[in-house]
Amino acid sequence: RVVTIGGRLGIFGRSAWASGPGTVWGWGSNFGGILGERPGDFEEPTKIRRLSHVSSVHHDGRTAYAIKDDGSLWSWGTSASGQLGDGKRLHRESRGLWGMTPQASAADSRYRTLPDRIMGLRDVSAVFGNNFLGRWVKSRDGRAFGWGGFTERSLTPARLPALDGLLDLARTMNDVWALMPGGELIGCSANTPPRPVSGIHDVASISAAVHAFYAATRDGCVYAIDDFHGEWKDEPDLVHSRVLGKVRDIDGIATIIAADYDPAGVLAIGMDGNLWSWGIDPKTANTGRERRYPPRQVPIPNRVIDAYQSHGNAYALDEAGEVWSWDDFAFMSREEQRPRINRVKGLPRIGAIANGWQMHALGHDGSVWSWSVYDAGKDSPTEPRRVTRLPRIVALRGSDKTTLAVAGE
């Protein structure tokens, strides 16, 4: 299994799947010109100009990045906080990133619709980060680079030796957490340089919601650390954390998955492929009287290779290529004695799933399917529909209301 936050070679969400270099296609919201010069949303896929031989894409609905097969990194979209890595931002002020010298100039526009190469980078293998706290990339030899963000950020790529060897990255609204070799954690924020996190070791997987970060250790223990709002007054250690639970029936945790939009639910995939669910009653979250639900195994017939939880709905992809769904809040609270785990019908054999505003599924045949995670009327169908007018797709990246796809050549 490949662990990732951003789109890597052959990665759609967290599921590994076949990939190949190709062109980039996009549809959905065109916020910031991420889909091209024409304003408005794109109901049908459109080809992104100036890109070919692309192996993977990464985007957050505002700024997009494409890694080509030669290791070069290309960017386009919004530039308000230097996300494009070209030395420009909407705001003039910049204090540098953890001692790095800023290289800023006034932006001549708020966004750029045509992809352009980010200079100073080579042999890029992965992109990490979010819109407010900057971007991080890793080269094929393990070196880390960073740029962008509203405060303390260089506006062109600069070396970050403290994050060399980065394996995975998760971020809350204000803080960033990095999983390093050996299962160690490093934390940082806009105002705090990277530093080791004491008290949590042998970490197997990390994930984050808006206001909470989760780390799962190989012995089955899961820690939750609250967002520090960018100001770490003390060491980021167990003083700020709480143990959600130690799942004794799991033979090691392979993947921890936080709910995308609600911090109440947590999913965990064991080394044996079993899926577990637990968390907090959303009605009591952040009240000081939280009602906690213990871990409960989700009865998926086959080994689970990926899962998501969003808006109370959960989805799992098994090794047979089938997708399953259920009401996760009702499941973990034991509201149903015989929980309803439903197979999502109308899909071909699926190789990867991920969600943004909608769920997406990538078929083994290169087809793309999407459906709404909740019933919002005829404009958001909850039954899977195939995305038409696309070539054979080998990699996808969904975020918010925009989807980018890499087509094979």
Side-chain angles (χ1 to χ4, degrees), residues 97-98 129-130 133-136 146 151-153 160 162-163 166 168-180 185-197 213 225-232 234-236:
L97 167 63
W98 311 315
N130 80 332
L133 298 178
R135 303 292 176 188
W136 290 263
T151 59
E152 299 192 2
R153 275 290 178 188
L160 297 176
L163 297 180
L166 174 67
D168 198 3
L169 183 143
R171 85 287 189 279
T172 57
M173 180 64 73
N174 298 286
D175 305 317
V176 178
W177 307 83
L179 176 60
M180 305 301 292
L185 282 179
I186 287 181
C188 60
S189 71
N191 302 315
T192 306
R195 65 176 72 175
V197 177
F213 163 78
I225 303 178
D226 293 330
D227 185 279
F228 299 132
H229 305 289
E231 296 289 344
W232 286 351
D234 302 302
E235 288 292 321

Side-chain angles (χ1 to χ4, degrees), residues 79-377:
S79 183
S81 55
Q83 301 98 305
L84 295 177
D86 60 0
K88 298 179 181 180
R89 62 182 295 172
L90 182 64
H91 308 291
R92 291 176 181 269
E93 65 274 6
S94 178
R95 291 180 289 167
L97 167 63
W98 311 315
M100 297 191 303
T101 302
Q103 302 177 40
S105 63
D108 53 6
S109 65
R110 190 170 181 176
Y111 54 85
R112 189 178 69 224
T113 60
L114 287 177
D116 203 0
R117 182 172 182 173
I118 299 178
M119 306 307 295
L121 292 173
R122 56 185 299 181
D123 294 330
V124 175
S125 63
V127 180
F128 306 92
N130 80 332
N131 199 40
F132 301 103
L133 298 178
R135 303 292 176 188
W136 290 263
V137 301
K138 184 174 72 170
S139 62
R140 292 168 183 169
D141 61 3
R143 294 183 301 164
F145 299 80
W147 71 91
F150 283 118
T151 59
E152 299 192 2
R153 275 290 178 188
S154 171
L155 300 181
T156 54
R159 283 278 289 115
L160 297 176
L163 297 180
D164 282 352
L166 174 67
L167 298 177
D168 198 3
L169 183 143
R171 85 287 189 279
T172 57
M173 180 64 73
N174 298 286
D175 305 317
V176 178
W177 307 83
L179 176 60
M180 305 301 292
E184 298 301 313
L185 282 179
I186 287 181
C188 60
S189 71
N191 302 315
T192 306
R195 65 176 72 175
V197 177
S198 60
I200 305 177
H201 304 286
D202 200 24
V203 175
S205 179
I206 60 176
S207 186
V210 176
H211 298 296
F213 163 78
Y214 300 90
T217 56
R218 289 182 174 84
D219 63 357
C221 195
V222 177
Y223 295 90
I225 303 178
D226 293 330
D227 185 279
F228 299 132
H229 305 289
E231 296 289 344
W232 286 351
K233 297 181 180 179
D234 302 302
E235 288 292 321
D237 55 18
L238 295 183
V239 173
H240 300 90
S241 70
R242 59 186 186 275
V243 180
L244 283 184
K246 187 168 184 178
V247 190
R248 300 182 184 277
D249 293 326
I250 290 185
D251 183 19
I253 292 180
T255 309
I256 187 76
I257 304 149
D260 282 357
Y261 299 102
D262 195 314
V266 182
L267 299 173
I269 302 174
M271 294 290 186
D272 55 6
N274 289 325
L275 180 66
W276 296 77
S277 170
W278 69 95
I280 300 170
D281 185 340
K283 298 178 182 178
T284 66
N286 303 317
T287 64
R289 297 182 179 180
E290 298 174 341
R291 181 181 179 184
R292 300 177 183 274
Y293 298 121
R296 186 183 189 189
Q297 185 175 344
V298 184
I300 304 297
N302 301 306
R303 288 174 57 92
V304 173
I305 60 176
D306 204 0
Y308 283 90
Q309 200 257 54
S310 182
H311 300 287
N313 298 310
Y315 297 87
L317 172 65
D318 68 20
E319 62 182 0
E322 294 185 326
V323 180
W324 302 83
S325 69
W326 66 97
D327 183 333
D328 201 42
F329 290 158
F331 175 80
M332 66 183 179
S333 64
R334 272 68 170 179
E335 290 181 7
E336 301 174 346
Q337 293 299 319
R338 299 183 65 181
R340 291 176 293 178
I341 310 297
N342 304 309
R343 183 174 64 85
V344 179
K345 299 179 180 179
L347 293 172
R349 187 184 178 204
I350 298 300
I353 60 172
N355 72 321
W357 187 255
Q358 293 186 321
M359 279 298 301
H360 299 278
L362 175 60
H364 279 255
D365 58 1
S367 62
V368 178
W369 302 75
S370 68
W371 64 96
S372 177
V373 297
Y374 58 95
D375 190 356

Side-chain angles (χ1 to χ4, degrees), residues 35-102:
L35 299 180
E37 297 177 357
R38 180 171 67 82
D41 295 345
F42 285 67
E43 294 185 1
E44 295 183 352
T46 182
K47 185 177 179 181
I48 307 300
R49 298 167 56 190
R50 200 186 283 182
L51 287 176
S52 62
H53 299 283
V54 170
S55 58
S56 65
V57 289
H58 175 100
H59 79 98
D60 61 4
R62 299 170 178 84
T63 311
Y65 305 87
I67 302 176
K68 291 194 173 185
D69 57 2
D70 62 1
S72 63
L73 184 65
W74 295 64
S75 67
W76 69 103
T78 56
S79 183
S81 55
Q83 301 98 305
L84 295 177
D86 60 0
K88 298 179 181 180
R89 62 182 295 172
L90 182 64
H91 308 291
R92 291 176 181 269
E93 65 274 6
S94 178
R95 291 180 289 167
L97 167 63
W98 311 315
M100 297 191 303
T101 302

